[in-house]
Amino acid sequence: MSKEKKTNVLVIGAGITGIQSSLDLADKGYRVYLVEKSPSIGGSMAKLDKTFPTNDCSMCTLAPKMVETSRHPNIELLTYSEVVGLEGTAGNFKAKIKKKPRYVIEEKCTGCGDCIEKCPTKKQNIPSEFDHGMGTRKAIYIPFEQASPLVATIDTENCLHFKTGKCGICQKVCLAEAIDFEQKEEIIEVDVGAVIVATGFDVLAPTMRTEYGYGKYKNVITAIEYERLMSASGPTRGHIERPSDGKKPEKIAWIQCVGSRSGRLGNPYCSRVCCMYATKEALVTKEHDPDIQPYIFYMDLRAYGKEFEEYYQKADSTGVKYVRARPAEVFETDGGDIMIRYEDTYTGEIKEEKFDLLVLSSAIVPSKSNAELSESLGIELDENGFFKECNVVSDPMESSKPGVFLAGCSQSPKDIPDSVAQGSGAAAMVMDILPKPEIKPVQQIAEKVMQSDEEPRIGVFICMCGKNIAGYMDVDKLSEFALSLPNVSHSEILMFACSQDAQGKIKKAIESKDLNRVVVAACTPRTHEGLFQDTIREIGLNKYLFEMANIRNQCSWVHSTDPEKALEKAKELVKMSVAKARLLEPLSQGQIEVEGSALVIGGGVSGMSTALALAEAGIKVYLVEKKDKLGGMLNNLTTLYPSDVKAQDVVDKLVDEMQKNKNIDVLLNTEIEEIKGYIGNFEVEVKEQDPLYKNFEEPLKVGTVVIATGAELIDPAGIYGYGSSPKIITQYELEEMLKKGSFPKDAKEVLFISCAGAREDKGRTYCCRVGCGTMLRNAKALKKLNPDLNLFVLFRDMRSFGKREEEYYVDVQQNYGVKFLRYEKDQKPEVSVDNGVVTLRVHDMLLGDDLEFKPDLVVLTTPTEGQANDIAMMLKVPTSKNGGFFLEAHAKIRPLDFATDGVYVCGSAHFPKGVADAVAQAIGAASRAAVPIFERIVKGEAIVSDVDQEKCIGCGICVSICPYGAMALDDGKSQSNKALCKGCGTCASACPMFAIKMPHFTDGQIFEQIKAAIGKSGGA
Amino acid sequence: MADEKFEPKIVAFTCNWCSYAGADLAGTSRIQYAPNMRIIRVMCSGRVEPNFILEAFQQGADGVCVLGCHFGDCHYISGNYEANRRMELLTKLFKHMGLDEGRIMIEWVSASEGERFSQVVNKFTEQVRELGPLPEGYADKIALLRGAIEGERLRIVLGSTKRAFDSGGVEEEKYNNALFDIARDEIDRVKMFKALDKADAPLTVPQFSEMTGIPKMTIWRHVLSMTRKNILEAVGEEHHYMLYQRRAV
């Protein structure tokens, strides 16, 4: 295989995970084949209404990534396709991909939707897969409005042409001639060096829980179905209507763990996301309509992630009713209401409650295609049907076959940020085994130089969009009008402005009429601007000399009943675009050369994993650790939950690999003194110098920085009497004993208390995320050591959410004789010390009794806290509200990045986490940090702020307002860093002196648009 | 003409990522709504200057709105908060000057809220239609307001809001009240400058008061403050009152 082919990568599945893997690889120069079995990319995230814990609109955050993916020059999208075979070995695979016929030619279809409108199939009969059957579609369909690629697909099962041979209306109405009934299935073969499996999950249709009535009662639905009801773009446009009669429900119940946490009743594992999505659905419902009363029936509320506990508390105080109970059965009453019969955990009583709608928090289950895919790829499945990783703790992303990697829910259920982290992580695993791609210089024709006094010669191109525009307004009149506007020297009508032949026509007109500005009146710049910009660039025009008028989405489609008004408005929209175009200026992107090295701060398991992943890709790494040895928190631990792997073995292996790798320099006993600079060119000075440091040029120069500073143990003084007796210790002290073998042999009774100093009302409000696991594994260790030990675990919610964790919990419960006692927030255990005797009192909820113990040891499960401050100040990155952790760029889709480019975060510095999640983040952060280094030259945005040094008074307002750290005062004047600026323009509008110019959205351009819009001037 | 329905002209500034996308979705969903609004796309609602809005009124718009991402959704993290601050102040000032604050609006529309977009457009269009065409003297008041809002002093205090709140220890309500007071002062001062321009001669405090309608005590305060800051200077006297004019730069 040629070297070039070795840098090809196959990514299977185009949900958020596969998208992240693809973008990470494509940005590094790898050629990605992104295969998606459904007609559009976007996966499950596209179906969600909001995302927890920020209540962000899911589509708002996903859609820009979808557009980026579909327009990336290094990504080849193969939608409606499936991988059917894989031969060869790592570095030399040959993959077979089956491309299913859409019966629509992708290159020709413009997504206008004429065919869908005219398709005679009865809409009510075909359930929409995208809406999980809550909505319907026709036989020819686009799954959702933001679909990418935006092309139609024919489903032959319902299509009249395929059923009876008689129809064919879509073919007749398609002016783009995109319908092809003769299309055949194709098998494509591609050579790739590595494979990433990001096939996501299915949602269980919980029909086997017959007692809950799914499939039997109309008003029992699953949470993903409810999600579609909530979605503003869903079948009910976001109005909550129950399926039986469309009535607005007043009481809605959620039942948790449907099909999960029970091997007998579905699956043994915890589905990990349901507690939070149910909380989100309930909270958003309540916020949207305070008259609706949501109830959540649950056993353990697993709010384990960053800001999750706070979100849960918010839902609780907003009026979501949490009922700790196991619903026994559900039945329908008159009028379609749903009666739930449940056991009250507090009283043991059987209660009944009536609801208008029941939502089942149905488990995430392995994708149906997993079994077949595991055959095709030759990789193993685990006992539940997810893909099997090499090691659940230390190698979560390696499959059983070298060169094939796992990411996201294909490996186990997980939420969006954990999936994204693995998506990046898998991309890093690929970069570590494949050669570095050669970056080919892009051949482009030289840009025409424009004189500043050159008269604008504007060409206006009016798209008919088949009938989507031309059917609702007189485009000839519009074209005539355009030509009458000042500086317009050409106007032309195109059938489909986005088609290939139209690009040729636009170029021809630019040449023959010597146009220097182009306006396309068509659809939305959000999807089509890039295409037209490329076209005009190809003929030598600067791509910023382009403007669009959105006469379809803002005009013909929304004023289709009033052609006169539509034409009137279209004229004004064109006039506004022309007015702006007159003042458009050519722009260019700033460029920064990137140092080929990286700094990793922190030498725990996260820092080491990041350093190794970077170094194995050939990147020089400096790792700085303030302590005298590597290993971080793992040095305190015995085994790594939920396995019995020894922590020391994992540390030793990593340290050994670090020592062998020539690309890594480790500086121990070293703290960072100062970091200056920005992406591509950071300068790092350290204090407490390691002797090794003297060998380096001073200061260290690096292109990117990864923060892996972890978290620290809290001072437990005063918590449950800690400090007043040697019998009250922390889990870490217990582990110390276990490691040294100093656990008292005569101890008869030991009590663990969860959430000691965590999940508080004020202060450390967060869940420590790892405490439950720590309790479980230490309980197991103690009972192994002394099976006769009377061991009680006092807990609030058992949060064993990760892969194999629930199984581990069940094992400890069933096979080790550990007693579990639940306590509630307002009935915490009381610990007192009198004459060296420790007494612990706790209310047993099941027995309804107050229990008293005189244990030999009380072990407190305390949280960790972040240490973000100094480093955060130096790098000008933000920290979280709670706990001193670093605050990532976006809780969902950018968990490893900061708003400031070139700086990344992973592991417990982001939020406390177990080793599996920390490793995934760490390797993911390596991928993120490697992107600019692979690119070698980072291109900034072209639309960047520009400070007029004469006008600037150095007030620093822009510095305080810029979220990207792109503004800095230098010598009393503000300077804009073109590499960091993202072009929002907020600084320009805040500057008291009007000293900041925002190109492409200048005051002058906007004033001209205003004038044209109101109609006083700006044209004919 | 009286029975013909008044069709207001409305300008909307929408951010690229959420509200413009919401408008696109309203289109793809073929939701019909009032055709009065003209959208000007900016990358972020944080780009919208108060003077964009005032310019639109000066050009003859009957209503102007800003549409951005919901809080927390901003593609640029916090731009919509800045937009909101500016609109809050502008709304107060509209009220203060009797400018029908119903003619301006800031709203949040996400990329998936096509229907909401159309509702927002319809609601605002109807609201402005109810208010009718711009009343006489509207343009003058807008010009006054523009003079104030483009002034350095007000812009510094407005722009520093985030910094003040981030630093902690600043009560939001107090800060916002102070901001409003400064804005009112600036409007007074613009009126005083206009009086000077109109008279084309230095003026005394009573003359200022008479020409602007601002109480004498308030004028005194402005005169004292502006002479101290070298904005005004005394150049003689008339009827036992000092005459003031703008100090030449």
Side-chain angles (χ1 to χ4, degrees):
Chain A
M1 197 193 285
S2 71
K3 194 188 167 202
E4 198 170 292
K5 283 179 182 166
K6 282 187 175 172
T7 59
N8 292 349
V9 184
L10 174 66
V11 177
I12 312 172
I16 184 63
T17 310
I19 284 178
Q20 185 63 44
S21 293
S22 301
L23 287 173
D24 267 26
L25 287 165
D27 283 345
K28 295 189 185 92
Y30 293 96
R31 171 114 191 111
V32 177
Y33 297 98
L34 178 54
V35 177
E36 167 58 46
K37 69 177 175 198
S38 70
S40 169
I41 64 170
S44 295
M45 190 178 170
K47 298 172 185 169
L48 305 181
D49 173 40
K50 302 272 190 328
T51 54
F52 60 81
T54 49
N55 285 357
D56 268 348
C57 153
S58 192
M59 191 47 87
C60 298
T61 45
L62 176 64
K65 285 217 175 195
M66 287 170 63
V67 173
E68 197 184 339
T69 304
S70 62
R71 290 199 53 81
H72 203 295
N74 288 339
I75 298 177
E76 185 171 330
L77 275 186
L78 294 157
T79 49
Y80 214 47
S81 302
E82 285 167 28
V83 175
V84 290
L86 185 74
E87 283 164 23
T89 52
N92 289 292
F93 289 117
K94 198 175 270 295
K96 262 193 196 149
I97 300 161
K98 178 174 84 183
K99 206 167 174 359
K100 296 176 276 187
R102 279 178 193 269
Y103 305 104
V104 174
I105 302 162
E106 273 184 44
E107 296 71 30
K108 286 190 178 173
C109 177
T110 64
C112 74
D114 274 348
C115 54
I116 300 170
E117 204 188 316
K118 297 282 155 39
C119 174
T121 51
K122 288 212 177 62
K123 206 181 166 191
Q124 58 269 34
N125 296 338
I126 313 172
S128 148
E129 294 85 353
F130 185 78
D131 284 331
H132 283 260
M134 298 307 280
T136 51
R137 60 164 174 81
K138 289 197 177 171
I140 187 162
Y141 66 103
I142 295 173
F144 56 106
E145 275 103 347
Q146 300 87 346
S148 183
L150 192 66
V151 295
T153 302
I154 294 177
D155 128 40
T156 52
E157 263 177 50
N158 291 296
C159 171
L160 292 176
H161 175 83
F162 284 95
K163 272 166 54 182
T164 66
K166 276 184 187 148
C167 187
I169 290 178
C170 51
Q171 198 168 37
K172 288 188 200 96
V173 300
C174 179
L175 296 172
E177 297 176 347
I179 308 289
D180 175 11
F181 292 126
E182 306 305 315
Q183 225 174 40
K184 294 276 175 303
E185 180 179 295
E186 265 181 274
I187 298 286
I188 303 165
E189 283 198 344
V190 292
D191 293 319
V192 294
V195 181
I196 293 176
V197 182
T199 45
F201 61 93
D202 284 344
V203 176
L204 178 78
T207 43
M208 80 294 177
R209 296 294 300 263
T210 44
E211 71 275 31
Y212 291 157
Y214 181 80
K216 188 163 138 204
Y217 307 135
K218 275 190 170 170
N219 293 331
V220 178
I221 61 175
T222 63
I224 189 81
E225 291 163 357
Y226 188 78
E227 198 78 37
R228 294 310 300 149
L229 281 187
M230 291 172 77
S231 172
S233 55
T236 57
R237 303 235 165 271
H239 302 293
I240 307 295
E241 296 165 3
R242 66 177 193 176
S244 72
D245 51 10
K247 190 183 122 183
K248 187 191 106 178
E250 280 162 21
K251 265 172 87 182
I252 308 177
W254 276 260
I255 295 181
Q256 297 306 107
C257 306
V258 177
S260 58
R261 295 189 65 189
S262 168
R264 199 169 50 81
L265 301 170
N267 300 290
Y269 55 85
C270 167
S271 177
R272 189 160 167 152
V273 293
C274 318
C275 285
M276 293 311 291
Y277 75 55
T279 294
K280 171 198 72 181
E281 291 184 348
L283 176 62
V284 172
T285 301
K286 183 83 188 159
E287 283 183 339
H288 188 69
D289 187 343
D291 294 338
I292 299 180
Q293 180 55 59
Y295 285 69
I296 295 179
F297 292 92
Y298 73 108
M299 285 311 293
D300 292 285
L301 206 294
R302 294 184 166 169
Y304 57 84
K306 192 171 187 173
E307 299 285 328
F308 286 12
E309 178 70 19
E310 290 84 350
Y311 189 73
Y312 161 40
Q313 294 308 328
K314 183 183 167 195
D316 189 42
S317 60
T318 307
V320 174
K321 284 199 177 151
Y322 286 89
V323 186
R324 204 191 287 279
R326 218 179 258 289
E329 53 188 37
V330 152
F331 55 93
E332 194 176 58
T333 64
D334 298 340
D337 293 350
I338 300 293
M339 182 75 86
I340 297 179
R341 198 167 282 145
Y342 65 97
E343 182 195 355
D344 187 312
T345 337
Y346 293 94
T347 60
E349 254 180 275
I350 299 290
K351 289 183 174 171
E352 283 183 353
E353 188 104 31
K354 210 165 82 173
F355 295 90
D356 299 301
L357 182 64
L358 170 60
V359 183
L360 302 177
S361 292
S362 195
I364 279 183
V365 293
S367 171
K368 274 188 267 317
S369 59
N370 279 11
E372 214 172 308
L373 192 61
S374 83
E375 291 273 314
S376 310
L377 298 177
I379 60 173
E380 288 173 34
L381 295 174
D382 68 14
E383 66 281 13
N384 296 314
F386 293 103
F387 290 103
K388 190 175 177 184
E389 65 290 310
C390 233
N391 181 301
V392 72
V393 175
S394 54
D395 288 308
M397 292 167 302
E398 270 186 79
S399 78
S400 58
K401 184 173 189 165
V404 180
F405 303 100
L406 311 173
C409 292
S410 69
Q411 184 241 353
S412 69
K414 50 184 70 72
D415 65 2
I416 294 167
D418 289 339
S419 298
V420 169
Q422 283 202 347
S424 281
M429 311 285 282
V430 170
M431 83 176 175
D432 284 351
I433 65 158
L434 296 190
K436 201 168 176 173
E438 274 172 49
I439 295 187
K440 278 167 261 156
V442 187
Q443 294 287 335
Q444 271 198 326
I445 69 158
E447 213 167 82
K448 285 178 196 158
V449 182
M450 216 169 49
Q451 308 304 323
S452 54
D453 58 349
E454 205 173 306
E455 270 286 297
R457 290 180 300 279
I458 304 170
V460 178
F461 297 88
I462 293 162
C463 178
M464 295 166 69
C465 195
K467 284 184 176 159
N468 283 283
I469 293 171
Y472 303 102
M473 66 177 77
D474 189 335
V475 285
D476 291 320
K477 279 191 182 155
L478 185 59
S479 177
E480 256 171 57
F481 171 79
L483 205 53
S484 74
L485 295 168
N487 299 107
V488 174
S489 43
H490 177 78
S491 178
E492 186 173 342
I493 297 167
L494 302 165
M495 174 62 84
F496 287 106
C498 56
S499 65
Q500 266 312 315
D501 68 311
Q503 306 317 300
K505 287 178 181 168
I506 293 171
K507 284 187 202 171
K508 210 175 139 197
I510 292 172
E511 270 200 325
S512 64
K513 302 275 175 82
D514 193 20
L515 303 175
N516 57 18
R517 307 278 195 293
V518 172
V519 170
V520 172
C523 52
T524 172
R526 291 179 53 260
T527 52
H528 282 68
E529 189 175 53
L531 168 76
F532 296 118
Q533 284 185 323
D534 288 350
T535 299
I536 71 165
R537 180 62 194 84
E538 279 160 24
I539 197 129
L541 267 191
N542 182 283
K543 68 181 198 177
Y544 294 94
L545 299 170
F546 175 80
E547 184 66 18
M548 275 185 95
N550 192 345
I551 60 168
R552 189 187 70 181
N553 298 42
Q554 288 180 16
C555 205
S556 64
W557 273 350
V558 293
H559 309 310
S560 43
T561 52
D562 194 344
E564 227 171 276
K565 284 255 163 64
L567 177 62
E568 214 44 50
K569 182 169 169 183
K571 281 181 179 175
E572 289 191 9
L573 294 178
V574 169
K575 192 165 98 180
M576 287 164 71
S577 294
V578 168
K580 179 171 177 181
R582 235 176 256 130
L583 296 182
L584 289 174
E585 293 165 317
L587 303 174
S588 60
Q589 291 166 282
Q591 295 196 342
I592 296 172
E593 278 192 49
V594 181
E595 282 283 338
S597 53
L599 169 71
V600 176
I601 310 174
V605 63
S606 299
M608 286 195 284
S609 300
T610 305
L612 280 166
L614 284 166
E616 276 166 24
I619 294 168
K620 173 83 203 164
V621 181
Y622 301 102
L623 185 143
V624 174
E625 166 59 47
K626 67 178 175 190
K627 300 218 172 91
D628 60 356
K629 65 173 178 180
L630 295 169
M633 196 64 89
L634 260 60
N635 288 326
N636 302 325
L637 307 182
T638 49
T639 56
L640 297 179
Y641 170 76
S643 70
D644 291 319
V645 174
K646 286 204 176 80
Q648 201 55 55
D649 292 350
V650 171
V651 173
D652 290 346
K653 184 168 168 263
L654 286 170
V655 170
D656 182 54
E657 282 176 40
M658 298 268 291
Q659 276 162 352
K660 281 186 193 149
N661 197 310
K662 290 193 179 67
N663 285 331
I664 305 176
D665 282 318
V666 178
L667 300 168
L668 294 174
N669 293 312
T670 303
E671 285 189 52
I672 308 274
E673 173 90 47
E674 196 181 9
I675 302 178
K676 281 193 287 197
Y678 46 85
I679 183 169
N681 301 281
F682 288 102
E683 291 191 357
V684 186
E685 280 185 63
V686 299
K687 56 188 169 191
E688 295 300 318
Q689 294 175 2
D690 187 302
L692 186 62
Y693 180 64
K694 299 199 174 68
N695 301 334
F696 303 142
E697 57 175 311
E698 219 179 325
L700 301 177
K701 286 190 174 151
V702 295
T704 53
V705 178
V706 179
I707 299 171
T709 47
E712 297 283 335
L713 302 173
I714 63 157
D715 174 7
I719 300 174
Y720 289 118
Y722 184 92
S724 58
S725 163
K727 289 181 177 175
I728 304 171
I729 63 170
T730 65
Q731 293 287 354
Y732 301 97
E733 287 162 332
L734 173 64
E735 298 218 24
E736 195 89 329
M737 287 179 179
L738 288 169
K739 279 178 109 174
K740 285 189 192 146
S742 65
F743 181 76
K745 293 203 170 53
D746 54 350
K748 290 196 174 58
E749 191 167 78
V750 173
L751 278 94
F752 289 0
I753 304 179
S754 79
C755 314
R759 296 182 68 187
E760 296 172 321
D761 290 336
K762 276 186 186 137
R764 281 183 294 266
T765 50
Y766 54 93
C767 163
C768 78
R769 184 158 167 147
V770 294
C772 289
T774 306
M775 291 198 298
L776 292 174
R777 94 189 138 71
N778 285 348
K780 187 170 163 183
L782 283 186
K783 289 296 278 190
K784 269 188 170 171
L785 195 68
N786 178 4
D788 297 329
L789 187 73
N790 214 5
L791 179 61
F792 289 86
V793 172
L794 276 47
F795 72 105
R796 283 176 64 184
D797 293 279
M798 188 52 71
R799 294 181 169 173
S800 48
F801 56 86
K803 185 164 188 176
R804 305 251 153 76
E805 293 185 1
E806 180 67 17
E807 292 90 329
Y808 192 98
Y809 173 32
V810 171
D811 180 45
V812 173
Q813 265 181 318
Q814 292 177 347
N815 302 324
Y816 289 87
V818 178
K819 292 166 196 112
F820 288 85
L821 261 177
R822 191 192 298 277
Y823 71 90
E824 290 291 327
K825 187 180 172 186
D826 44 8
Q827 283 184 312
K828 285 186 183 165
E830 283 168 25
V831 180
S832 56
V833 182
D834 192 20
N835 271 335
V837 178
V838 175
T839 307
L840 189 149
R841 286 184 197 85
V842 66
H843 181 76
D844 183 341
M845 285 178 20
L846 283 177
L847 298 173
D849 277 348
D850 289 323
L851 303 178
E852 190 178 287
F853 300 89
K854 300 224 183 284
D856 299 296
L857 268 183
V858 171
V859 186
L860 306 181
T861 313
T862 52
T864 53
E865 56 191 3
Q867 307 287 317
N869 283 350
D870 290 354
I871 304 277
M873 300 262 270
M874 271 183 237
L875 285 163
K876 298 186 194 73
V877 293
T879 56
S880 305
K881 279 202 301 282
N882 305 313
F885 303 104
F886 286 89
L887 183 61
E888 65 278 20
H890 190 277
K892 280 290 170 189
I893 52 163
R894 296 183 68 196
L896 310 175
D897 299 27
F898 286 104
T900 309
D901 287 338
V903 190
Y904 311 89
V905 65
C906 64
S908 295
H910 160 268
F911 191 70
K913 51 185 62 71
V915 173
D917 292 336
V919 166
Q921 277 205 340
I923 299 176
S927 172
R928 303 297 303 138
V931 167
I933 293 172
F934 269 61
E935 286 176 326
R936 283 181 294 186
I937 290 168
V938 176
K939 281 195 172 172
E941 305 277 334
I943 302 171
V944 289
S945 57
D946 191 13
V947 184
D948 183 336
Q949 298 293 306
E950 294 283 307
K951 287 186 186 165
C952 176
I953 55 168
C955 67
I957 285 174
C958 53
V959 181
S960 72
I961 274 177
C962 176
Y964 303 101
M967 289 297 200
L969 284 178
D970 186 13
D971 219 4
K973 297 276 182 185
S974 179
Q975 307 288 339
S976 156
N977 186 326
K978 311 276 187 245
L980 297 179
C981 176
K982 302 284 176 209
C984 67
T986 308
C987 60
S989 342
C991 176
M993 306 311 293
F994 297 95
I996 302 176
K997 179 179 166 186
M998 212 52 231
H1000 216 64
F1001 295 92
T1002 63
D1003 288 9
Q1005 288 164 358
I1006 290 172
F1007 287 151
E1008 282 306 307
Q1009 280 179 290
I1010 294 171
K1011 281 180 201 160
I1014 306 301
K1016 267 194 184 170
S1017 63
Chain B
M1 291 295 278
D3 54 347
E4 197 172 300
K5 214 168 156 195
F6 161 61
E7 287 300 341
K9 287 178 182 163
I10 293 169
V11 174
F13 295 94
T14 65
C15 73
N16 181 61
W17 303 96
C18 289
S19 51
Y20 192 92
D24 277 344
L25 184 59
T28 4
S29 317
R30 317 292 204 274
I31 303 170
Q32 305 288 307
Y33 56 81
N36 304 56
M37 188 178 276
R38 302 290 173 265
I39 289 177
I40 294 176
R41 182 176 68 111
V42 285
M43 293 313 280
C44 178
S45 56
R47 174 70 187 100
V48 181
E49 295 238 18
N51 68 354
F52 292 175
I53 293 157
L54 301 179
E55 169 76 19
F57 281 111
Q58 286 177 315
Q59 291 296 332
D62 300 297
V64 183
C65 68
V66 180
L67 304 176
C69 308
H70 289 276
F71 288 136
D73 283 4
C74 179
H75 189 81
Y76 302 103
I77 301 164
S78 54
N80 51 355
Y81 287 93
E82 292 302 320
N84 194 43
R85 275 195 242 291
R86 293 173 196 150
M87 285 302 276
E88 269 178 9
L89 177 67
L90 203 59
T91 307
K92 281 187 200 166
L93 295 176
F94 261 58
K95 209 170 176 178
H96 170 65
M97 299 193 68
L99 282 170
D100 295 331
E101 67 267 27
R103 292 188 187 275
I104 56 174
M105 179 182 76
I106 186 159
E107 267 292 353
W108 318 116
V109 177
S110 84
S112 63
E113 293 177 330
E115 186 174 73
R116 185 174 148 74
F117 176 84
S118 68
Q119 287 164 352
V120 165
V121 174
N122 283 339
K123 192 182 134 227
F124 189 60
T125 307
E126 281 321 301
Q127 182 177 317
V128 175
R129 198 197 303 279
E130 288 282 302
L131 291 168
L134 296 184
E136 208 142 311
Y138 202 88
D140 292 343
K141 286 185 186 173
I142 290 283
L144 269 178
L145 191 51
R146 189 161 177 181
I149 220 138
E150 285 185 351
E152 180 186 338
R153 180 161 159 245
L154 181 55
R155 289 180 68 90
I156 285 181
V157 185
L158 176 60
S160 301
T161 313
K162 180 177 188 286
R163 189 159 51 181
F165 293 168
D166 286 354
S167 70
V170 177
E171 272 182 55
E172 294 202 16
E173 203 189 328
K174 273 192 184 164
Y175 194 96
N176 286 333
N177 288 343
L179 182 63
F180 178 58
D181 288 342
I182 291 169
R184 266 194 323 209
D185 284 357
E186 288 297 300
I187 293 167
D188 286 352
R189 292 180 188 190
V190 175
K191 284 184 188 167
M192 289 166 68
F193 295 146
K194 288 226 150 103
L196 281 174
D197 291 343
K198 201 175 165 195
D200 201 19
L203 296 172
T204 64
V205 168
Q207 286 166 341
F208 269 125
S209 178
E210 201 191 313
M211 288 183 71
T212 60
I214 302 168
K216 263 187 261 175
M217 284 310 291
T218 313
I219 299 282
W220 273 117
R221 192 162 53 79
H222 290 315
V223 164
L224 277 173
S225 157
M226 284 196 284
T227 43
R228 223 178 292 137
K229 287 189 182 133
N230 280 337
I231 300 168
L232 292 182
E233 59 182 351
V235 287
E237 59 166 279
E238 199 177 296
H239 310 302
H240 304 295
Y241 283 102
M242 298 286 262
L243 278 163
Y244 295 94
Q245 71 173 27
R246 262 174 150 157
R247 182 180 281 270
V249 183

